[in-house]
Amino acid sequence: MKNSTKLLALLNEARVQGVTDLGRHIDDNPEFLQRALEAIVIEEVNRSTIELFGAKEAGELVGSVAPYWQNGSQTFRRIMGARFRQEEAYQEETRLTTRDGRVLEGLFTSAFPRALSDLGLSINSFVDSTERIEAQAKVRQ
């Protein structure tokens, strides 16, 4: 089984078990979220992502998404819910952790149009707002 299809198998397994509310299923089976994190792998990144996430080359970011969601697991959970409901996209302000341990804040968007989703693929973007958010916090102080 290809890594890109592991998440599809996990979601389909839940459907076969009669799951209709993925959030409740995750509450009852917390390991499901970890299995989903491990099932999703980064296959390609652009130069901006390499720089933003503190890598020297794309290969350093290829692999499981789990390390990057340490500070945004609730957002990840809601993304999985959207995918389970077969929506075509989801976006939310969230926090992601970089390779070098920095925490970024910004808008994460995940698009899973049917043609890609059926192949276990999605297109994701992150608009870093960390500096703006920090500046706004300083102004409020």
PDB file of all heavy atoms in Angstrom, residues 98-116:
ATOM      1  N   THR A  98       8.103  23.957  13.316  1.00  0.00           N
ATOM      2  CA  THR A  98       9.101  23.783  12.272  1.00  0.00           C
ATOM      3  C   THR A  98      10.097  22.702  12.661  1.00  0.00           C
ATOM      4  O   THR A  98      10.106  22.218  13.795  1.00  0.00           O
ATOM      5  CB  THR A  98       9.862  25.098  12.025  1.00  0.00           C
ATOM      6  OG1 THR A  98      10.598  25.426  13.214  1.00  0.00           O
ATOM      7  CG2 THR A  98       8.921  26.231  11.655  1.00  0.00           C
ATOM      8  N   ARG A  99      10.977  22.362  11.735  1.00  0.00           N
ATOM      9  CA  ARG A  99      12.005  21.352  12.006  1.00  0.00           C
ATOM     10  C   ARG A  99      12.916  21.782  13.150  1.00  0.00           C
ATOM     11  O   ARG A  99      13.400  20.958  13.916  1.00  0.00           O
ATOM     12  CB  ARG A  99      12.887  21.125  10.765  1.00  0.00           C
ATOM     13  CG  ARG A  99      12.170  20.390   9.663  1.00  0.00           C
ATOM     14  CD  ARG A  99      13.126  19.898   8.596  1.00  0.00           C
ATOM     15  NE  ARG A  99      13.776  18.663   9.061  1.00  0.00           N
ATOM     16  CZ  ARG A  99      15.065  18.560   9.322  1.00  0.00           C
ATOM     17  NH1 ARG A  99      15.875  19.560   9.202  1.00  0.00           N
ATOM     18  NH2 ARG A  99      15.564  17.407   9.719  1.00  0.00           N
ATOM     19  N   ASP A 100      13.149  23.094  13.253  1.00  0.00           N
ATOM     20  CA  ASP A 100      14.064  23.583  14.280  1.00  0.00           C
ATOM     21  C   ASP A 100      13.336  24.028  15.554  1.00  0.00           C
ATOM     22  O   ASP A 100      13.902  24.710  16.399  1.00  0.00           O
ATOM     23  CB  ASP A 100      14.955  24.696  13.736  1.00  0.00           C
ATOM     24  CG  ASP A 100      14.174  25.831  13.095  1.00  0.00           C
ATOM     25  OD1 ASP A 100      12.930  25.851  13.200  1.00  0.00           O
ATOM     26  OD2 ASP A 100      14.815  26.711  12.482  1.00  0.00           O
ATOM     27  N   GLY A 101      12.055  23.636  15.694  1.00  0.00           N
ATOM     28  CA  GLY A 101      11.322  23.863  16.927  1.00  0.00           C
ATOM     29  C   GLY A 101      10.583  25.189  17.055  1.00  0.00           C
ATOM     30  O   GLY A 101       9.894  25.414  18.044  1.00  0.00           O
ATOM     31  N   ARG A 102      10.709  26.062  16.071  1.00  0.00           N
ATOM     32  CA  ARG A 102       9.946  27.308  16.131  1.00  0.00           C
ATOM     33  C   ARG A 102       8.467  27.001  15.928  1.00  0.00           C
ATOM     34  O   ARG A 102       8.114  26.014  15.287  1.00  0.00           O
ATOM     35  CB  ARG A 102      10.399  28.278  15.028  1.00  0.00           C
ATOM     36  CG  ARG A 102      11.780  28.864  15.246  1.00  0.00           C
ATOM     37  CD  ARG A 102      12.251  29.706  14.077  1.00  0.00           C
ATOM     38  NE  ARG A 102      12.456  28.865  12.899  1.00  0.00           N
ATOM     39  CZ  ARG A 102      11.776  28.989  11.740  1.00  0.00           C
ATOM     40  NH1 ARG A 102      10.886  29.941  11.579  1.00  0.00           N
ATOM     41  NH2 ARG A 102      12.019  28.170  10.741  1.00  0.00           N
ATOM     42  N   VAL A 103       7.612  27.845  16.491  1.00  0.00           N
ATOM     43  CA  VAL A 103       6.175  27.690  16.297  1.00  0.00           C
ATOM     44  C   VAL A 103       5.704  28.835  15.407  1.00  0.00           C
ATOM     45  O   VAL A 103       5.929  30.007  15.714  1.00  0.00           O
ATOM     46  CB  VAL A 103       5.418  27.705  17.645  1.00  0.00           C
ATOM     47  CG1 VAL A 103       3.915  27.642  17.412  1.00  0.00           C
ATOM     48  CG2 VAL A 103       5.875  26.527  18.508  1.00  0.00           C
ATOM     49  N   LEU A 104       5.092  28.474  14.294  1.00  0.00           N
ATOM     50  CA  LEU A 104       4.564  29.444  13.342  1.00  0.00           C
ATOM     51  C   LEU A 104       3.056  29.534  13.507  1.00  0.00           C
ATOM     52  O   LEU A 104       2.395  28.531  13.764  1.00  0.00           O
ATOM     53  CB  LEU A 104       4.883  29.021  11.906  1.00  0.00           C
ATOM     54  CG  LEU A 104       6.353  28.788  11.566  1.00  0.00           C
ATOM     55  CD1 LEU A 104       6.469  28.251  10.144  1.00  0.00           C
ATOM     56  CD2 LEU A 104       7.149  30.082  11.719  1.00  0.00           C
ATOM     57  N   GLU A 105       2.529  30.731  13.332  1.00  0.00           N
ATOM     58  CA  GLU A 105       1.078  30.924  13.359  1.00  0.00           C
ATOM     59  C   GLU A 105       0.651  31.445  11.992  1.00  0.00           C
ATOM     60  O   GLU A 105       1.310  32.307  11.421  1.00  0.00           O
ATOM     61  CB  GLU A 105       0.692  31.932  14.432  1.00  0.00           C
ATOM     62  CG  GLU A 105       0.993  31.436  15.833  1.00  0.00           C
ATOM     63  CD  GLU A 105       0.494  32.395  16.895  1.00  0.00           C
ATOM     64  OE1 GLU A 105      -0.735  32.588  16.970  1.00  0.00           O
ATOM     65  OE2 GLU A 105       1.335  32.931  17.619  1.00  0.00           O
ATOM     66  N   GLY A 106      -0.457  30.920  11.497  1.00  0.00           N
ATOM     67  CA  GLY A 106      -0.934  31.379  10.201  1.00  0.00           C
ATOM     68  C   GLY A 106      -2.132  30.596   9.723  1.00  0.00           C
ATOM     69  O   GLY A 106      -2.727  29.815  10.461  1.00  0.00           O
ATOM     70  N   LEU A 107      -2.459  30.822   8.472  1.00  0.00           N
ATOM     71  CA  LEU A 107      -3.615  30.181   7.852  1.00  0.00           C
ATOM     72  C   LEU A 107      -3.178  28.928   7.106  1.00  0.00           C
ATOM     73  O   LEU A 107      -2.378  28.994   6.171  1.00  0.00           O
ATOM     74  CB  LEU A 107      -4.299  31.149   6.882  1.00  0.00           C
ATOM     75  CG  LEU A 107      -5.533  30.602   6.157  1.00  0.00           C
ATOM     76  CD1 LEU A 107      -6.652  30.319   7.159  1.00  0.00           C
ATOM     77  CD2 LEU A 107      -5.991  31.588   5.092  1.00  0.00           C
ATOM     78  N   PHE A 108      -3.702  27.791   7.540  1.00  0.00           N
ATOM     79  CA  PHE A 108      -3.434  26.517   6.869  1.00  0.00           C
ATOM     80  C   PHE A 108      -4.650  26.169   6.027  1.00  0.00           C
ATOM     81  O   PHE A 108      -5.779  26.201   6.518  1.00  0.00           O
ATOM     82  CB  PHE A 108      -3.180  25.400   7.886  1.00  0.00           C
ATOM     83  CG  PHE A 108      -2.772  24.100   7.240  1.00  0.00           C
ATOM     84  CD1 PHE A 108      -1.442  23.850   6.973  1.00  0.00           C
ATOM     85  CD2 PHE A 108      -3.712  23.155   6.885  1.00  0.00           C
ATOM     86  CE1 PHE A 108      -1.053  22.661   6.368  1.00  0.00           C
ATOM     87  CE2 PHE A 108      -3.347  21.975   6.271  1.00  0.00           C
ATOM     88  CZ  PHE A 108      -2.011  21.731   6.015  1.00  0.00           C
ATOM     89  N   THR A 109      -4.417  25.859   4.773  1.00  0.00           N
ATOM     90  CA  THR A 109      -5.489  25.460   3.868  1.00  0.00           C
ATOM     91  C   THR A 109      -5.156  24.092   3.295  1.00  0.00           C
ATOM     92  O   THR A 109      -4.032  23.848   2.867  1.00  0.00           O
ATOM     93  CB  THR A 109      -5.647  26.473   2.708  1.00  0.00           C
ATOM     94  OG1 THR A 109      -5.902  27.762   3.260  1.00  0.00           O
ATOM     95  CG2 THR A 109      -6.787  26.074   1.786  1.00  0.00           C
ATOM     96  N   SER A 110      -6.142  23.220   3.310  1.00  0.00           N
ATOM     97  CA  SER A 110      -5.988  21.893   2.731  1.00  0.00           C
ATOM     98  C   SER A 110      -7.109  21.702   1.720  1.00  0.00           C
ATOM     99  O   SER A 110      -8.281  21.836   2.054  1.00  0.00           O
ATOM    100  CB  SER A 110      -6.073  20.823   3.821  1.00  0.00           C
ATOM    101  OG  SER A 110      -5.741  19.561   3.303  1.00  0.00           O
ATOM    102  N   ALA A 111      -6.721  21.427   0.486  1.00  0.00           N
ATOM    103  CA  ALA A 111      -7.707  21.188  -0.574  1.00  0.00           C
ATOM    104  C   ALA A 111      -7.611  19.725  -0.994  1.00  0.00           C
ATOM    105  O   ALA A 111      -6.520  19.207  -1.219  1.00  0.00           O
ATOM    106  CB  ALA A 111      -7.446  22.096  -1.764  1.00  0.00           C
ATOM    107  N   PHE A 112      -8.753  19.078  -1.043  1.00  0.00           N
ATOM    108  CA  PHE A 112      -8.801  17.685  -1.467  1.00  0.00           C
ATOM    109  C   PHE A 112      -9.938  17.497  -2.458  1.00  0.00           C
ATOM    110  O   PHE A 112     -10.941  16.841  -2.146  1.00  0.00           O
ATOM    111  CB  PHE A 112      -8.923  16.705  -0.299  1.00  0.00           C
ATOM    112  CG  PHE A 112      -9.272  17.319   1.031  1.00  0.00           C
ATOM    113  CD1 PHE A 112     -10.583  17.574   1.380  1.00  0.00           C
ATOM    114  CD2 PHE A 112      -8.283  17.664   1.926  1.00  0.00           C
ATOM    115  CE1 PHE A 112     -10.917  18.128   2.601  1.00  0.00           C
ATOM    116  CE2 PHE A 112      -8.605  18.230   3.154  1.00  0.00           C
ATOM    117  CZ  PHE A 112      -9.909  18.457   3.486  1.00  0.00           C
ATOM    118  N   PRO A 113      -9.789  18.089  -3.669  1.00  0.00           N
ATOM    119  CA  PRO A 113     -10.813  17.878  -4.690  1.00  0.00           C
ATOM    120  C   PRO A 113     -10.913  16.393  -5.027  1.00  0.00           C
ATOM    121  O   PRO A 113      -9.937  15.647  -4.903  1.00  0.00           O
ATOM    122  CB  PRO A 113     -10.321  18.692  -5.883  1.00  0.00           C
ATOM    123  CG  PRO A 113      -8.889  18.983  -5.611  1.00  0.00           C
ATOM    124  CD  PRO A 113      -8.666  18.869  -4.143  1.00  0.00           C
ATOM    125  N   ARG A 114     -12.077  15.990  -5.415  1.00  0.00           N
ATOM    126  CA  ARG A 114     -12.388  14.563  -5.621  1.00  0.00           C
ATOM    127  C   ARG A 114     -11.321  13.832  -6.450  1.00  0.00           C
ATOM    128  O   ARG A 114     -10.890  12.748  -6.080  1.00  0.00           O
ATOM    129  CB  ARG A 114     -13.765  14.440  -6.276  1.00  0.00           C
ATOM    130  CG  ARG A 114     -14.229  13.026  -6.479  1.00  0.00           C
ATOM    131  CD  ARG A 114     -14.349  12.296  -5.187  1.00  0.00           C
ATOM    132  NE  ARG A 114     -15.712  11.870  -5.015  1.00  0.00           N
ATOM    133  CZ  ARG A 114     -16.195  11.503  -3.867  1.00  0.00           C
ATOM    134  NH1 ARG A 114     -15.451  11.545  -2.806  1.00  0.00           N
ATOM    135  NH2 ARG A 114     -17.417  11.108  -3.751  1.00  0.00           N
ATOM    136  N   ALA A 115     -10.881  14.415  -7.550  1.00  0.00           N
ATOM    137  CA  ALA A 115      -9.908  13.734  -8.420  1.00  0.00           C
ATOM    138  C   ALA A 115      -8.611  13.423  -7.681  1.00  0.00           C
ATOM    139  O   ALA A 115      -8.006  12.373  -7.894  1.00  0.00           O
ATOM    140  CB  ALA A 115      -9.615  14.582  -9.653  1.00  0.00           C
ATOM    141  N   LEU A 116      -8.183  14.317  -6.796  1.00  0.00           N
ATOM    142  CA  LEU A 116      -6.973  14.068  -6.011  1.00  0.00           C
ATOM    143  C   LEU A 116      -7.261  13.221  -4.786  1.00  0.00           C
ATOM    144  O   LEU A 116      -6.487  12.338  -4.438  1.00  0.00           O
ATOM    145  CB  LEU A 116      -6.339  15.392  -5.583  1.00  0.00           C
ATOM    146  CG  LEU A 116      -5.755  16.263  -6.670  1.00  0.00           C
ATOM    147  CD1 LEU A 116      -5.217  17.552  -6.088  1.00  0.00           C
ATOM    148  CD2 LEU A 116      -4.674  15.522  -7.438  1.00  0.00           C
TER     149      LEU A 116
END
